[in-house]
């Protein structure tokens, strides 16, 4: 029986992916900042572990408790839209701490065991926003694009040990808590210079969302990557993500 560890399982793509693998007889290590067993059906194959990806001790504890991991999914993340000029550096650093450095830290923590077993898969959830230079999300894009670049180089570094690295790029999803969190971090709506630009940009973005990405699209993409060793490095997940990827060439 194979084991998958997923970060950010309290909601959204992480929770859906954990449930998806649980239903398919995998052993699931569902990690989150505030552990909640009640989100899942009871199962002997499930363990809920505390894990804050920005906390080195929390990472050490979770990896130690986890044992062998076949697939790691670095999913924890958030967005904080704002005109860059109005963004405080604390938020800039927080976006990188969670979306970028958290992913790198977890990956570094599992690589030794995967290398030793000559087998393992790391799936990094980034974003299809990295395909498009949209305004207001520059720092979030940069944090996710850094993970894309990191993953591409790492893939060719660890292939020799039988370890695969993949990037799943979801499109825009209204099914998760992502938009609520982004709204809570939103800056600039009252700013005398940027308010009008903000309103127009947000209206344009909402109109162009289209069918969007379902949580299931992400769970299925991770499932395909886990099962198929010939999966491509980059996998857009969701109808909008597939379209953006095609447009980006
Ligand atoms: N929804 C979209 O439109 C979209 C599009 C492209 C990519 N993504 C990416 O998909 C991933 C999942 O997002 P989602 O849409 O499912 O949103 P979500 O429902 O808000 O889930 C985000 C998860 O990340 C967790 N998290 C945040 N900071 C963390 C930390 N320091 N340590 C551990 N966990 C942390 C949250 O936990 P708490 O409950 O503790 O906050 C939550 O479980 C993110 O990386 C996001 O950037 C989302």
């Amino acid at each position: 029986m194979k084991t998958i560890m997923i970060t950010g399982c309290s909601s959204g793509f992480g929770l859906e992916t954990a449930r998806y693998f649980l239903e398919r007889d995998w052993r699931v290590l569902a990690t989150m900042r505030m552990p909640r067993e009640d989100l899942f059906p009871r199962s002997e194959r499930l363990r809920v572990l505390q894990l804050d990806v920005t906390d080195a001790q929390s990472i050490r504890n979770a990896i130690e408790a986890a044992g062998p991991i076949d697939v790691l999914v670095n999913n924890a993340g958030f967005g904080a839209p704002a005109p860059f000029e109005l963004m405080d550096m604390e938020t800039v650093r927080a976006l990188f701490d969670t979306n970028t450095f958290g992913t790198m830290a977890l990956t570094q923590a599992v690589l030794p065991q995967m290398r030793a077993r000559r087998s393992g898969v790391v799936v990094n959830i980034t974003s299809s926003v990295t395909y498009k230079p949209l305004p207001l999300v520059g720092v979030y894009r940069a944090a996710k694009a850094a993970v894309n670049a990191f993953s591409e180089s790492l893939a060719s570094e660890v292939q020799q040990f039988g370890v695969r690295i993949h990037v799943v790029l979801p499109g825009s999803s209204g099914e998760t808590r992502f938009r609520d969190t982004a709204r809570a971090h939103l800056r600039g709506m009252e700013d005398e210079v940027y308010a009008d630009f903000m309103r127009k940009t947000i209206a344009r973005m909402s109109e162009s969302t289209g069918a969007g990405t379902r949580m299931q699209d992400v769970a299925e993409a991770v499932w395909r990557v886990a099962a198929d060793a010939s999966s491509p490095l980059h996998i857009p997940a969701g109808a909008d993500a597939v379209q953006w990827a095609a447009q980006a060439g």
Side-chain angles (χ1 to χ4, degrees), residues 65-147:
I69 297 162
D70 297 291
V71 178
L72 167 69
V73 183
N74 285 307
N75 164 75
F78 75 102
F84 180 65
E85 189 183 340
L86 304 183
M87 232 175 159
D88 53 74
M89 281 308 291
E90 204 181 314
T91 306
V92 172
R93 290 198 179 89
L95 281 165
F96 272 83
D97 271 346
T98 300
N99 291 293
T100 313
F101 303 136
T103 291
M104 291 179 179
L106 255 297
T107 304
Q108 199 166 54
V110 300
L111 276 180
Q113 56 154 286
M114 289 185 173
R115 177 179 46 71
R117 285 197 313 273
R118 302 194 72 80
S119 151
V121 182
V122 177
V123 184
N124 294 328
I125 308 293
T126 66
S127 172
S128 63
V129 82
T130 56
Y131 292 126
K132 269 198 183 180
L134 295 173
L136 308 182
V137 292
V139 178
Y140 174 71
R141 275 189 81 226
K144 293 295 196 186
V147 175

Side-chain angles (χ1 to χ4, degrees), residues 8-240:
C9 285
S10 66
S11 68
F13 300 150
L15 177 58
E16 180 76 7
T17 305
R19 288 175 175 159
Y20 194 94
F21 275 75
L22 206 53
E23 280 166 16
R24 284 156 184 80
D25 294 336
W26 277 55
R27 195 176 287 125
V28 174
L29 301 167
T31 75
M32 57 192 86
R33 288 194 281 199
M34 306 280 282
R36 279 188 54 190
E37 307 257 352
D38 62 311
L39 296 172
F40 303 92
R42 291 179 73 87
S43 169
E44 289 191 347
R45 288 178 286 102
L46 171 75
R47 279 176 75 199
V48 176
L49 297 175
Q50 196 282 332
L51 175 54
D52 179 336
V53 302
T54 64
D55 179 338
Q57 189 58 50
S58 168
I59 293 175
R60 272 193 296 275
N61 293 347
I63 294 294
E64 214 173 281
I69 297 162
D70 297 291
V71 178
L72 167 69
V73 183
N74 285 307
N75 164 75
F78 75 102
F84 180 65
E85 189 183 340
L86 304 183
M87 232 175 159
D88 53 74
M89 281 308 291
E90 204 181 314
T91 306
V92 172
R93 290 198 179 89
L95 281 165
F96 272 83
D97 271 346
T98 300
N99 291 293
T100 313
F101 303 136
T103 291
M104 291 179 179
L106 255 297
T107 304
Q108 199 166 54
V110 300
L111 276 180
Q113 56 154 286
M114 289 185 173
R115 177 179 46 71
R117 285 197 313 273
R118 302 194 72 80
S119 151
V121 182
V122 177
V123 184
N124 294 328
I125 308 293
T126 66
S127 172
S128 63
V129 82
T130 56
Y131 292 126
K132 269 198 183 180
L134 295 173
L136 308 182
V137 292
V139 178
Y140 174 71
R141 275 189 81 226
K144 293 295 196 186
V147 175
N148 292 349
F150 157 71
S151 305
E152 288 154 14
S153 290
L154 182 64
S156 53
E157 225 170 274
V158 298
Q159 189 185 21
Q160 59 180 317
F161 307 125
V163 177
R164 292 192 277 127
I165 311 290
H166 297 270
V167 179
V168 168
L169 303 95
S172 179
S173 179
E175 291 184 355
T176 76
R177 276 210 331 246
F178 184 84
R179 288 182 192 170
D180 293 340
T181 307
R183 230 171 270 128
H185 283 92
L186 186 71
R187 295 287 173 277
M189 291 307 281
E190 310 300 329
D191 184 78
E192 59 181 38
V193 176
Y194 283 103
D196 189 44
F197 174 76
M198 296 280 296
R199 267 193 302 277
K200 287 180 181 154
T201 305
I202 290 170
R204 215 173 33 246
M205 281 179 179
S206 314
E207 277 166 22
S208 66
T209 301
T213 296
R214 301 165 310 153
M215 293 194 292
Q216 197 185 335
D217 295 327
V218 175
E220 285 171 355
V222 176
W223 177 260
R224 283 197 303 275
V225 171
D228 182 0
S230 67
S231 297
L233 199 152
H234 306 96
I235 296 136
D240 52 343

